[in-house]
């Protein structure tokens, strides 16, 4: 028995195929794409702008660290010859600190130590930070780059946050 198969957003995208599978329903505008069709953001580069290379930086005191980290994030390209490469990226920033590092910051109005997106590590460890970054960025898959950015902005400051 032949079945209808959904192949895209237009009604002309229906076509017959063999087999007994039920047709996929038409996609509602604004509805999330199936996970395999979602854009997958990936990390291109990580730096704090001071320590080069940042990946191998070992602070004098790993228990007392405060640094602002810039993460270049883009979407991996698809297709022949370009698979797995980042087409372009946007920059996102976050403060990384340890509790002792936060204690070294000057407070504002006697209360606020940090008013930025913040990751607190008990002790600075780049590998632990990297795993958190990878997992967080991977969790921001979405059907469009704009939706990826919206999700990423829940965790990071975006380079265009203050552009009007």
């Amino acid at each position: 028995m032949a079945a209808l198969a959904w192949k895209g957003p237009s009604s002309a995208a229906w076509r017959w195929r063999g087999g007994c599978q039920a047709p996929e329903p038409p996609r509602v505008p604004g509805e999330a794409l199936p996970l395999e069709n979602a854009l997958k953001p990936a990390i291109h580069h990580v730096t704090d702008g001071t320590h080069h290379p940042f990946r191998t930086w070992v602070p004098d005191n790993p228990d007392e660290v405060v640094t602002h980290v810039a993460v270049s994030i883009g979407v991996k390209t698809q297709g022949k010859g370009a698979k797995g490469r980042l087409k372009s990226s946007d920059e996102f920033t976050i403060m990384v600190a340890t509790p002792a590092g936060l204690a070294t910051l000057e407070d504002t109005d006697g209360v606020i130590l940090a008013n930025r997106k913040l990751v607190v590590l008990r002790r600075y460890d780049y590998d632990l930070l990297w795993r958190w970054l990878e997992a967080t960025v991977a969790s921001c898959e979405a059907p469009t780059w704009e939706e990826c950015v919206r999700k990423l902005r829940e965790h990071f400051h975006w380079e265009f946050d203050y552009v009007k």
Side-chain angles (χ1 to χ4, degrees):
M1 178 177 169
L4 283 175
W6 177 247
K7 300 304 279 182
S10 71
S11 60
W14 286 93
R15 69 171 179 82
W16 287 99
R17 71 174 178 195
C20 299
Q21 291 180 314
E24 297 174 30
R27 189 167 128 355
V28 177
E31 178 183 289
L33 289 173
L35 201 53
E36 67 271 4
N37 294 331
L39 296 179
K40 296 173 180 12
I43 298 170
H44 175 62
H45 183 71
V46 178
T47 185
D48 75 342
T50 304
H51 306 97
H52 302 285
F54 182 61
R55 179 169 182 52
T56 59
W57 172 60
V58 178
D60 294 335
N61 182 355
D63 291 319
E64 190 177 296
V65 173
V66 177
T67 189
H68 291 90
V69 175
V71 185
S72 296
I73 302 170
V75 175
K76 288 184 179 177
T77 58
Q78 303 294 319
K80 205 172 193 176
K83 198 163 190 160
R85 292 189 194 136
L86 290 179
K87 189 172 181 182
S88 65
S89 61
D90 287 1
E91 190 166 292
F92 295 83
T93 57
I94 191 162
M95 179 187 281
V96 175
T98 61
L102 286 173
T104 66
L105 295 176
E106 278 188 44
D107 58 19
T108 304
D109 298 330
V111 179
I112 300 172
L113 292 177
N115 62 353
R116 301 181 53 84
K117 306 288 175 135
L118 173 67
V119 170
V120 179
L121 304 171
R122 290 189 191 280
R123 180 176 175 87
Y124 179 81
D125 177 338
Y126 181 85
D127 292 331
L128 179 62
L129 175 61
W130 178 258
R131 286 193 304 272
W132 181 85
L133 288 169
E134 277 193 318
T136 301
V137 170
S139 74
C140 295
E141 290 184 4
T144 66
W145 177 243
E146 291 77 17
E147 183 66 16
C148 288
V149 168
R150 187 192 65 71
K151 290 179 175 187
L152 288 163
R153 289 174 69 198
E154 293 174 11
H155 307 282
F156 305 95
H157 289 283
W158 184 37
E159 66 180 306
F160 300 112
D161 275 338
Y162 304 106
V163 176
K164 293 187 182 200

